[in-house]
Amino acid sequence: MNAIEIEGVSRSYEDFSVRNISLTLPSGMIMGLVGENGAGKTTMINLIMNALHADSGKIRVLGCDNTSPEFTAVKQDISVVADTVMFPDNFSAAQVSKMLSYTYINWNSTVFDGYLDRFELSRTKLIRDYSKGMAMKLSLAAALSHDSRLLLLDEPTGGLDPFFRDMVLDVLVEYTRSEDRSILISSHIVSDLEHLCDLIAFMRRGELVMCDTKDHILEEYAVIRTSSDMMLPISSVKAVRKGRYDTQVLMRREDIPRGITPERSTLEDIIVFMGRSEDKVIPTYMTEHGTASLW
């Protein structure tokens, strides 16, 4: 069974929309949802939870249509960590535990206390006195303490120091050691996703630009740099960025012309390059032979 199935989903606002999104998160895998601020990542998480209603398309979560009455029960198996704390600011961690024991059938206060110790969180300090990092730690502790099968994480490492970010990544890897547990994590820290995720979904301006395995993306694409007049097949070019003295091209490795050595590209290089590329460069220079001149 797939953890998430999204088919042709769209949602429009007055000044923004997500358009025709389709992706699948298989059970037991981790998908990174990446894109600039305003790309539609948080909107997609809200649509998955049916906190926002899609204008069109279908979403199934843990095998259940998320618009059906049965989805209420399925939510017991889902944890959501937003980029802001969702608990009352006059609560302590101990009070959060008591509240959630009435919310989740499988709430485990012993597991929760273990995460409080691991994350070095006080049981009595009020949430209003938390730093942003402490609030995220509390949210993660709660999300991991009721035996959920799906984690939806919206920028979980935002505001955290590098040491705790590493701890969070270790905790998430531990969580998915069970084959029936899956994670969808949105983040602008692509380097975190490179070490954590099996799949990468890249959104830009409300559209899904790419969704593939991390390993295939790294095997498929590379950046080349040229300062000479060159013709390249349109089908091989993914993005172009023109500088003052040369041009960088993200393209399929198998189509790189002989004699050109690709730059060593990380997942972050590829994603950032695509996000900042000039959208109109390739269509402007298309020729009747299906090639693009870079100059």
Side-chain angles (χ1 to χ4, degrees):
M1 180 179 67
N2 292 318
I4 300 174
E5 298 172 357
I6 300 175
E7 181 180 349
V9 166
S10 297
R11 166 69 191 231
S12 295
Y13 298 91
E14 194 171 308
D15 57 353
F16 175 76
S17 62
V18 293
R19 300 174 293 281
N20 196 32
I21 304 296
S22 296
L23 59 82
T24 298
L25 172 59
S27 183
M29 302 189 78
I30 303 175
M31 176 180 283
L33 187 61
V34 301
E36 73 274 18
N37 291 334
K41 303 187 299 297
T42 299
T43 296
M44 287 309 304
I45 290 176
N46 286 329
L47 286 167
I48 289 168
M49 290 302 296
N50 203 33
L52 289 175
H53 303 299
D55 296 331
S56 60
K58 297 180 181 179
I59 300 176
R60 293 181 64 82
V61 184
L62 299 177
C64 180
D65 184 330
N66 77 337
T67 63
S68 69
E70 292 76 17
F71 188 56
T72 299
V74 172
K75 288 180 179 179
Q76 286 282 330
D77 291 325
I78 304 171
S79 291
V80 179
V81 177
D83 58 354
T84 56
V85 67
M86 305 299 290
F87 306 122
D89 65 3
N90 62 339
F91 269 35
S92 65
Q95 289 172 308
V96 167
S97 181
K98 185 173 182 179
M99 176 183 72
L100 294 181
S101 70
Y102 297 111
T103 304
Y104 293 108
I105 296 171
N106 294 322
W107 178 255
N108 191 321
S109 59
T110 301
V111 171
F112 181 70
D113 286 342
Y115 279 117
L116 294 183
D117 292 337
R118 188 171 180 178
F119 296 163
E120 299 181 346
L121 288 175
S122 165
R123 288 163 174 72
T124 57
K125 187 172 184 175
L126 298 183
I127 293 174
R128 69 163 65 102
D129 299 322
Y130 278 19
S131 66
K132 183 177 180 180
M134 292 170 66
M136 184 58 69
K137 292 177 184 181
L138 179 65
S139 296
L140 279 170
L144 295 165
S145 298
H146 63 95
D147 198 26
S148 62
R149 291 190 288 146
L150 175 63
L151 288 181
L152 303 177
L153 307 172
D154 193 356
E155 300 284 355
T157 57
L160 302 181
D161 63 68
F163 302 103
F164 186 70
R165 277 172 48 203
D166 284 345
M167 182 187 294
V168 169
L169 299 181
D170 289 343
V171 167
L172 296 181
V173 169
E174 291 171 9
Y175 172 85
T176 54
R177 284 177 182 164
S178 175
E179 293 184 358
D180 66 342
R181 292 177 173 178
S182 313
I183 299 175
L184 178 66
I185 173 172
S186 79
S187 179
H188 66 280
I189 306 176
V190 182
S191 58
D192 285 351
L193 302 184
E194 186 158 7
H195 294 96
L196 177 68
C197 296
D198 307 295
L199 303 162
I200 298 294
F202 173 47
M203 293 188 68
R204 182 171 61 181
R205 301 169 193 165
E207 295 184 340
L208 186 64
V209 176
M210 176 174 61
C211 186
D212 207 339
T213 66
K214 173 190 65 181
D215 291 339
H216 187 259
I217 293 170
L218 291 170
E219 292 171 0
E220 181 82 357
Y221 299 105
V223 176
I224 65 171
R225 187 184 299 268
T226 179
S227 57
S228 61
D229 193 5
M230 179 179 295
M231 302 296 288
L232 296 171
I234 289 297
S235 60
S236 71
V237 176
K238 192 70 175 178
V240 175
R241 185 164 59 194
K242 298 184 71 174
R244 184 175 180 181
Y245 300 108
D246 59 13
T247 297
Q248 289 179 293
V249 183
L250 179 67
M251 62 184 302
R252 292 185 176 88
R253 287 181 181 272
E254 64 182 19
D255 294 327
I256 294 175
R258 291 181 180 179
I260 294 182
T261 302
E263 298 182 355
R264 186 174 182 177
S265 305
T266 65
L267 181 64
E268 185 169 15
D269 293 333
I270 294 170
I271 296 298
V272 171
F273 189 96
M274 293 175 63
R276 295 181 178 177
S277 65
E278 298 178 36
D279 299 337
K280 303 298 184 181
V281 169
I282 297 172
T284 300
Y285 293 97
M286 285 181 66
T287 74
E288 60 183 0
H289 303 295
T291 59
S293 171
L294 301 178
W295 294 96

